[in-house]
Each structure stands twice: as C-alpha cells, then as structure tokens.
Amino acid sequence: MKPILQSDPGAGYRAAQAQIDAAVARVLGSGNYVLGQEVTGFESEFAAWLGAPNVVSCANGTDALVLALRAAGIGKGDAVATVSHTAIATVAAIEMTGAAPILLDVDEATFTLDPAELGAVLAAPPPGLPPIRAVIPVHLYGQPAAMDAICAQAARHGVLVIEDCAQAHGAQVAGRPVGLWGAAGTFSFYPTKNLGAFGDGGAVATNDPDLAARIGALRQYGWDRERLAQLPGVNSRLDELQAAILRVKLATLTRDNARRAEIARAYDRALGAGAPARAADRTHVFHQYVIRRPDRDRVQAALRDAGIGSAIHYPAPAHLHPAYRGRVAVGPAGCRATERLVAEILSLPMHPHLSDEEVARVCRALEAL
Ligand SMILES: Cc1ncc(COP(=O)(O)O)c(C=O)c1O
C-alpha cells in the first residue's frame, strides 16, 4: 500500500504545476530577480487576503521576527517573553536581536501561551532579568493563542505584542485575523507551511505604517530611497521566484485551509473523546493536527506499520535544547506542562492534498488503536 506522508510539499507543486511553471518562466525571462514586481504584487495580495494594511516580505520567518522586534526598538538590554513549546526559531530570533528570552509555559488544552503565567511574570519578573519589553505568543499548529487575555495583560504592563503566525496563515480570534492583534505578526513560507514557497520566505504584517517602513529599510541594508543606510540593516529579501510561486499558491489558500479543517473533522470523528481541544471563538487552520497519547511511541509504531507517517512537533522544549539549557530564563512554574506534553504529542498526516481515501485509511487506523 502507498505510504501516507505526514506532510507533502511536492503535492502542492503537482496540484498547480502548470501555473507554477509559468510563474517561474515569467520571472526567469523578466531579467529581474530581487525586489521587483512579483514581490510587490505578492505583498499587496497577501495583505488583502489577510486584511492587513501593511505587509513587508523578507527571507524567512525567523528574520520576520527579528525584523519586527528590531523595528520596534527591542534589542540588547531588553527581555522578550515567549513559550518554550515552539519551533526553536522563535527563541533564536529573540537572541538574534540581542534581547534575552524568557520561556513560559503553555495552556495544555490549546498548546499555546498561558495568559495567567504571562500575567504573573509581568507582575513579578524574575530577579536579574532585563525588563520584559515584548511578548511573542505563538499560534502553534494553527490554533490561535488567547489573544484577548494576552493583549490585556500586555497592555496593563506596557509590553509590546508580536505574534508568531508562522503556522497560522488565516487563523482568527473572534473574527479578527491573527497577526493584527498587536504591533506586528510574522509569517513563514517554509515549504510545509499552510502557505509554502519552494524555498524560504517570510513576511511581517502590521497596522503601523511607520513600523512597516522601518522593517522595509532594515531588510535591505537600512537603505532609504537614495540608498543611504539610515539604519544598521541586514539583507533579508524575499526573491522574485518565491514571490511569484507564492502568488500562485495564495490563490488556493482559503480552499486549502478549508480542506485541512475538513480532514481535521474526519480525524475528530475517528478519535471521539481523544480528539484535540479547540478553543471557542478561535479559528484553527490546522497547520498540524496533534494528538496527545501517553502511549505515543506505540501509537506511532502502529501507524508506521499501517504505512502512515507521523511526526513530533517538537520532541524537546526550547529550554531543554543544549544551546539554551541552564542559560535562558523560564517562567515561575518551570514549564512543567510543556515538559509533560512533549512526551505525548504526535502530529498526524495533515496537508490539503490528502485524498479522501487516504484520510479514510488514517481514520481506520485511529479507530483500531
Ligand atoms: C512557530 C514558528 N516560528 C518561526 C518559524 C521560523 O520560520 P522559518 O523556518 O521560515 O525561518 C517557524 C518555522 O519553522 C515556526 O514554525
């Protein structure tokens, strides 16, 4: 039986091969490969799709966080709070600005930042930590964090909110898109993401035109229109080829997210009470469908025997990676929920090109567990 892949970016190419090949040929023939009309076109089309007044693209989702933080004035001498249960890129980005991360625990039902822990840490920051100037909630797996409660805590303590939306293109809280709740929202277009390029890409969305202008300058050597560096910048540009490909894929993103939700509903039915929780009033876009099982290794082996791929996102909490262990600050409760759940999580096959037959096969395997 044909194996079912946990994720399959190649299927995204095959599904739109003619349009993608035409877009690539258009760029190659244009003679313009960096920051041209494909990038401008993609930025305005993605902004319209999100409902964001400003979108600035860049080289990847890690840089998107760095650029947003730096443009907001965060750096050396500041601390930035985020969760330990995230892609390590979130933590790496904070340190790339010179700021110190403090890693907090998640709410176990939604795998996202626990607003109560954020409130506690802002009210009584750990001694020796620089002042916490920003918080990065991560909309992990495509489920939004509790943005209303998080923004309320941040506002109370005068702390900036930058949302990590790398896994959550199109997710909403109370009908409002993630990425627009705080100062900025950052996106990754890594190939497996809900909107994926065939290489690297990233973007920052913001309501603030001045912040957008600073990010636009920082991503290209800090240049102004006369190519004078007004800020100490970097090179973090989205290239024309990826932008042209992203324009093709953006056209089906709404449909692709709907297909992910449909697959999630089928898995929910197969799992019954074991299905993952959804918070009311938050639209989950299912970058991943993650179950929690104390017998996770047995479940993964049973799925493998049935030809079904699965993955663990992520096998170690950020505060226990060798690069950070014992060095980065953690929240007052010590990230205990995070440490419990990483031993039990398993990501099932999830991408919009799974066939009905493949979904039915996964459901049968889940029912037989
Ligand atoms: C939550 C999260 N943040 C940040 C990133 C970094 O994005 P990129 O790999 O495009 O640098 C990723 C993707 O890997 C991610 O999943």
Side-chain angles (χ1 to χ4, degrees), residues 65-81 93-101 130-136 158-162 183-184 211 214 218:
L65 281 166
V66 175
L67 292 168
L69 287 165
R70 283 196 55 199
I74 307 289
K76 200 163 183 300
D78 302 322
V80 177
I94 295 170
E95 289 208 329
M96 283 165 75
T97 69
I132 301 174
R133 300 251 337 269
V135 56
I136 305 180
V159 162
L160 211 71
V161 176
I162 295 189
L211 192 74
R214 281 198 298 283
L218 282 174

Coordinates of all heavy atoms in Angstrom, one line a residue, residues 65-81 93-101 130-136 158-162 183-184 211 214 218:
L65 N 10.6 37.7 12.5 CA 10.5 38.0 13.9 C 11.6 39.0 14.3 O 11.4 40.0 15.0 CB 10.7 36.7 14.8 CG 9.5 35.8 14.9 CD1 9.9 34.5 15.4 CD2 8.4 36.5 15.8
V66 N 12.8 38.8 13.8 CA 14.0 39.6 14.1 C 13.7 41.1 13.7 O 13.9 42.0 14.4 CB 15.3 39.1 13.5 CG1 16.4 40.1 13.8 CG2 15.6 37.7 14.0
L67 N 13.2 41.2 12.4 CA 13.0 42.5 11.8 C 11.9 43.2 12.6 O 12.0 44.4 12.9 CB 12.6 42.4 10.4 CG 13.8 41.9 9.4 CD1 13.2 41.5 8.1 CD2 14.9 42.9 9.3
A68 N 10.8 42.5 12.9 CA 9.7 43.1 13.7 C 10.2 43.6 15.0 O 9.9 44.7 15.5 CB 8.5 42.1 13.8
L69 N 10.9 42.8 15.7 CA 11.4 43.1 17.1 C 12.4 44.3 17.0 O 12.2 45.3 17.7 CB 12.2 42.0 17.7 CG 11.3 40.8 18.2 CD1 12.2 39.6 18.5 CD2 10.5 41.2 19.5
R70 N 13.3 44.3 16.0 CA 14.3 45.4 15.9 C 13.6 46.7 15.5 O 13.9 47.7 16.0 CB 15.4 45.0 14.9 CG 16.4 44.0 15.4 CD 17.6 44.0 14.5 NE 18.2 45.3 14.3 CZ 19.1 45.6 13.3 NH1 19.4 44.7 12.4 NH2 19.5 46.8 13.2
A71 N 12.7 46.6 14.5 CA 12.0 47.8 14.1 C 11.2 48.4 15.2 O 11.0 49.6 15.3 CB 11.1 47.5 12.9
A72 N 10.8 47.6 16.2 CA 10.0 48.1 17.3 C 11.0 48.6 18.5 O 10.5 48.9 19.5 CB 9.1 47.0 17.9
G73 N 12.3 48.5 18.2 CA 13.2 49.0 19.2 C 13.7 48.0 20.2 O 14.3 48.4 21.2
I74 N 13.4 46.7 20.0 CA 13.8 45.7 21.0 C 15.2 45.2 20.7 O 15.5 44.9 19.5 CB 12.8 44.5 21.0 CG1 11.3 45.0 21.1 CG2 13.2 43.5 22.0 CD1 10.9 45.5 22.5
G75 N 16.0 45.1 21.7 CA 17.3 44.6 21.5 C 18.1 44.4 22.8 O 17.4 44.0 23.8
K76 N 19.4 44.6 22.7 CA 20.2 44.4 23.9 C 19.6 45.2 25.1 O 19.2 46.3 24.9 CB 21.6 44.9 23.6 CG 22.7 44.3 24.5 CD 24.1 44.5 23.8 CE 25.2 44.0 24.6 NZ 25.4 44.5 25.9
G77 N 19.6 44.6 26.3 CA 19.1 45.3 27.5 C 17.6 45.1 27.7 O 17.1 45.6 28.6
D78 N 17.0 44.3 26.8 CA 15.6 44.0 26.9 C 15.4 42.5 27.1 O 16.2 41.7 26.7 CB 14.8 44.4 25.7 CG 14.9 45.9 25.3 OD1 15.0 46.7 26.3 OD2 15.0 46.2 24.1
A79 N 14.2 42.1 27.7 CA 13.9 40.7 27.7 C 12.6 40.6 26.9 O 11.8 41.5 26.8 CB 13.7 40.2 29.1
V80 N 12.4 39.4 26.3 CA 11.2 39.1 25.5 C 10.6 37.8 25.9 O 11.4 36.8 26.0 CB 11.5 39.0 23.9 CG1 10.3 38.7 23.1 CG2 12.1 40.4 23.5
A81 N 9.4 37.8 26.3 CA 8.7 36.5 26.8 C 8.1 35.8 25.6 O 7.5 36.4 24.7 CB 7.6 36.9 27.8
A93 N 15.4 33.8 17.2 CA 15.1 35.1 16.7 C 15.3 36.2 17.8 O 15.8 37.2 17.6 CB 13.7 35.2 16.1
I94 N 14.8 35.9 19.0 CA 14.9 36.8 20.1 C 16.4 37.1 20.4 O 16.8 38.2 20.5 CB 14.2 36.3 21.4 CG1 12.7 36.2 21.2 CG2 14.5 37.1 22.6 CD1 11.9 35.4 22.2
E95 N 17.2 36.0 20.5 CA 18.6 36.2 20.8 C 19.3 36.9 19.6 O 20.3 37.6 19.9 CB 19.2 34.9 21.1 CG 18.8 34.3 22.5 CD 19.8 33.4 23.1 OE1 20.6 32.7 22.5 OE2 19.8 33.4 24.4
M96 N 18.8 36.7 18.4 CA 19.5 37.4 17.3 C 19.4 38.9 17.4 O 20.1 39.7 16.8 CB 18.8 37.0 15.9 CG 19.4 35.6 15.5 SD 18.3 34.9 14.2 CE 18.8 35.8 12.8
T97 N 18.4 39.4 18.1 CA 18.2 40.9 18.3 C 19.1 41.4 19.5 O 19.2 42.6 19.7 CB 16.8 41.3 18.7 OG1 16.5 40.8 20.0 CG2 15.7 40.7 17.7
G98 N 19.7 40.5 20.2 CA 20.5 40.9 21.4 C 19.6 40.8 22.7 O 20.2 41.0 23.8
A99 N 18.3 40.6 22.6 CA 17.5 40.5 23.7 C 17.6 39.2 24.4 O 18.1 38.2 23.8 CB 16.0 40.8 23.4
A100 N 17.1 39.1 25.7 CA 17.1 37.9 26.4 C 15.8 37.2 26.4 O 14.8 37.9 26.8 CB 17.6 38.1 27.9
P101 N 15.6 35.9 26.0 CA 14.3 35.3 26.1 C 13.9 34.9 27.5 O 14.8 34.5 28.3 CB 14.5 34.0 25.2 CG 15.9 34.0 24.7 CD 16.7 35.1 25.5
P130 N 16.6 41.4 32.4 CA 16.3 42.8 31.9 C 14.8 43.0 31.8 O 14.1 42.0 31.9 CB 17.0 42.8 30.5 CG 17.8 41.6 30.4 CD 17.3 40.6 31.4
P131 N 14.4 44.2 31.8 CA 12.9 44.5 31.7 C 12.3 43.8 30.5 O 12.8 43.8 29.4 CB 12.8 46.0 31.5 CG 14.2 46.5 31.5 CD 15.2 45.4 31.7
I132 N 11.1 43.2 30.8 CA 10.4 42.5 29.7 C 9.7 43.5 28.9 O 8.8 44.2 29.4 CB 9.4 41.4 30.2 CG1 10.1 40.4 31.1 CG2 8.6 40.8 29.1 CD1 9.2 39.4 31.8
R133 N 10.1 43.7 27.6 CA 9.5 44.8 26.8 C 8.6 44.3 25.7 O 7.8 45.0 25.1 CB 10.7 45.5 26.1 CG 11.7 46.2 27.0 CD 11.6 47.7 27.0 NE 11.0 48.3 25.9 CZ 11.6 48.7 24.8 NH1 13.0 48.6 24.7 NH2 11.0 49.3 23.8
A134 N 8.6 42.9 25.4 CA 7.7 42.4 24.4 C 7.3 41.0 24.8 O 8.1 40.3 25.5 CB 8.4 42.4 23.0
V135 N 6.2 40.5 24.2 CA 5.8 39.1 24.3 C 5.5 38.6 22.9 O 4.9 39.3 22.1 CB 4.6 39.0 25.3 CG1 3.4 39.8 24.9 CG2 4.2 37.5 25.4
I136 N 5.9 37.4 22.7 CA 5.6 36.7 21.4 C 4.7 35.5 21.6 O 5.2 34.4 21.9 CB 6.9 36.3 20.7 CG1 7.9 37.4 20.5 CG2 6.5 35.7 19.3 CD1 9.2 37.1 19.8
G158 N 2.4 47.6 29.7 CA 3.1 48.4 28.7 C 4.0 47.6 27.9 O 5.1 48.1 27.6
V159 N 3.7 46.4 27.6 CA 4.5 45.4 26.8 C 4.0 45.3 25.4 O 2.8 45.1 25.2 CB 4.6 44.1 27.6 CG1 5.1 43.0 26.8 CG2 5.4 44.2 28.9
L160 N 4.9 45.2 24.5 CA 4.6 45.1 23.0 C 4.2 43.6 22.7 O 4.8 42.7 23.3 CB 5.9 45.4 22.3 CG 5.8 46.0 20.9 CD1 5.3 47.5 21.1 CD2 7.2 46.0 20.4
V161 N 3.2 43.5 21.8 CA 2.9 42.1 21.4 C 3.3 41.9 19.9 O 2.9 42.7 19.1 CB 1.3 41.9 21.5 CG1 0.9 40.5 21.0 CG2 0.9 42.0 23.0
I162 N 4.1 40.9 19.7 CA 4.4 40.5 18.3 C 4.0 39.0 18.2 O 4.5 38.2 18.9 CB 5.9 40.7 18.1 CG1 6.2 42.2 18.1 CG2 6.3 40.1 16.7 CD1 7.5 42.7 17.7
A183 N 1.5 44.7 17.8 CA 2.3 45.7 17.0 C 2.5 45.1 15.6 O 2.6 45.8 14.6 CB 3.6 46.0 17.7
A184 N 2.7 43.7 15.5 CA 3.0 43.1 14.3 C 2.8 41.6 14.4 O 2.7 41.0 15.5 CB 4.5 43.3 13.9
L211 N 6.2 51.4 11.3 CA 6.9 50.2 11.6 C 7.2 49.4 10.3 O 8.3 48.9 10.1 CB 6.0 49.3 12.6 CG 6.7 48.1 13.2 CD1 7.7 48.6 14.3 CD2 5.7 47.1 13.8
R214 N 10.1 51.0 8.6 CA 11.4 50.6 9.2 C 11.8 49.2 8.9 O 13.0 48.9 8.6 CB 11.3 50.8 10.7 CG 11.5 52.3 11.2 CD 11.8 52.4 12.7 NE 10.8 51.8 13.6 CZ 9.7 52.4 13.9 NH1 9.4 53.6 13.3 NH2 8.8 51.9 14.7
L218 N 15.1 48.0 7.1 CA 16.1 47.1 7.8 C 16.3 45.8 6.9 O 17.4 45.3 7.0 CB 15.4 46.6 9.1 CG 15.5 47.6 10.3 CD1 14.7 47.0 11.5 CD2 16.9 47.8 10.7

